[in-house]
């Protein structure tokens, strides 16, 4: 049972915009920043968004992040087939004194 | 280029210990903290802790305190994660991952990651 809650699946058609939510509480998302990772099958996760809405070098601006209260969202615009992957949110938890993750959202491009 | 190369897969028995290594290259080893994260089959990632290579200071997740030990060898730019009293629930892929930015920038996430080490705990 993951500390942060994500929908298990999401889907969209090529070119569409999709959003993935991440819900926490006041000990984690509500009081700390959120990072997002993408994981292709059989590979290590890769950082996609850091500090709520910043993109590491090399990540296209089709990916954006936002946070409000105890929820965060990842938006992907101009959906492409190569965006099919698992997406995870992460935040520091003040009560647990550690980084916590969501259970992941599997994105399917129809 | 920055690389994190981990040791190979391990099969071990309940109650035993396992030690996974993560050899880094392509950057100043002492400038970036390193994290250990594991991922059980079909599950989300789980953070085990962090080590600062400068002095070797560590912070462990509460869940693993007393069972996990993280160390480093500055001469080989390698970090190690030792997990003891293994249970079947510890079966997972274990990853090392570097802070995105140097100098204890704790908040900006982990990048890059090692390739992962599968640890299987089975009697």
């Amino acid at each position: 049972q993951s500390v942060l809650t994500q929908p298990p699946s999401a889907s969209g058609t090529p070119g569409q915009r999709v959003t993935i939510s991440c819900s926490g509480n006041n000990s984690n998302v509500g009081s700390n920043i959120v990072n997002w990772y993408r994981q292709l099958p059989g590979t290590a996760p890769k950082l996609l968004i850091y500090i709520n809405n910043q993109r590491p070098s090399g990540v296209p601006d089709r990916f954006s992040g936002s946070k409000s209260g105890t929820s965060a969202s990842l938006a992907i615009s101009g959906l492409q087939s190569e965006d099919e992957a698992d997406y995870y949110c992460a935040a520091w938890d003040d009560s647990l004194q550690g980084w916590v993750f969501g259970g992941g959202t599997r994105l399917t491009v129809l | 280029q920055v690389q994190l190369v981990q040791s190979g897969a391990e099969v071990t028995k309940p109650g035993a210990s396992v030690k996974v290594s993560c050899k880094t290259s392509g950057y100043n080893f002492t400038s970036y903290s390193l994290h250990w994260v594991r991922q059980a089959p079909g599950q989300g990632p789980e953070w085990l802790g962090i080590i600062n290579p400068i002095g070797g200071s560590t912070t462990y997740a509460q869940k693993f305190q007393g069972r996990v030990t993280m160390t480093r060898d500055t001469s080989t730019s390698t970090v190690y994660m030792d997990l003891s009293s293994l249970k079947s629930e510890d079966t997972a892929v274990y990853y090392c991952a570097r802070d995105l930015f140097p100098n204890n920038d704790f908040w900006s996430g982990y990048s890059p990651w090692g390739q992962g080490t599968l640890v299987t705990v089975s009697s």
Side-chain angles (χ1 to χ4, degrees):
Chain A
Q1 188 87 5
S2 300
V3 175
L4 305 182
T5 302
Q6 298 180 237
S9 63
S11 63
T13 56
Q16 200 173 20
R17 181 178 187 271
V18 298
T19 61
I20 296 171
S21 62
C22 172
S23 177
N25 58 37
N26 288 323
S27 291
N28 42 62
V29 177
S31 53
N32 293 302
I33 57 88
V34 174
N35 299 322
W36 289 89
Y37 298 87
R38 177 165 84 168
Q39 186 175 32
L40 298 172
T43 68
K46 179 182 175 183
L47 184 65
L48 199 61
I49 295 288
Y50 67 96
I51 307 183
N52 301 328
N53 55 20
Q54 304 298 301
R55 288 184 306 276
S57 174
V59 174
D61 59 7
R62 301 188 297 109
F63 296 89
S64 62
S66 63
K67 195 190 89 163
S68 179
T70 58
S71 293
S73 291
L74 173 71
I76 308 171
S77 60
L79 200 60
Q80 300 177 3
S81 58
E82 53 261 42
D83 295 331
E84 279 205 343
D86 293 325
Y87 292 82
Y88 297 96
C89 58
W92 178 261
D93 191 294
D94 292 331
S95 296
L96 297 174
Q97 285 293 294
W99 286 96
V100 293
F101 287 82
T105 298
R106 176 152 295 178
L107 176 63
T108 301
V109 180
L110 302 170
Chain B
Q1 73 281 23
V2 177
Q3 284 192 307
L4 281 64
V5 179
Q6 299 183 220
S7 48
E10 302 264 7
V11 179
T12 186
K13 295 190 182 305
S17 298
V18 71
K19 191 169 188 174
V20 180
S21 68
C22 171
K23 183 171 176 57
T24 72
S25 61
Y27 71 97
N28 186 344
F29 176 69
T30 56
S31 293
Y32 294 77
S33 293
L34 284 137
H35 303 254
W36 286 93
V37 177
R38 76 179 187 180
Q39 189 171 27
Q43 304 295 313
E46 184 174 30
W47 184 76
L48 282 78
I50 181 175
I51 181 167
N52 184 330
I54 292 181
S57 62
T58 55
T59 299
Y60 301 138
Q62 290 177 356
K63 175 178 177 179
F64 299 101
Q65 282 181 4
R67 279 214 301 147
V68 70
T69 304
M70 297 176 188
T71 56
R72 95 288 187 222
D73 182 343
T74 55
S75 68
T76 60
S77 300
T78 302
V79 294
Y80 301 89
M81 188 282 301
D82 196 316
L83 188 63
S84 63
S85 303
L86 289 168
K87 300 165 267 194
S88 58
E89 307 91 89
D90 294 315
T91 294
V93 177
Y94 289 74
Y95 295 100
C96 60
R98 197 198 72 174
D99 268 348
L100 177 63
F101 294 124
N103 304 322
N104 294 318
D105 186 348
F106 183 74
W107 301 106
S108 300
Y110 331 136
S111 181
W113 295 51
Q115 84 277 18
T117 297
L118 176 61
V119 174
T120 303
V121 183
S122 173
S123 55

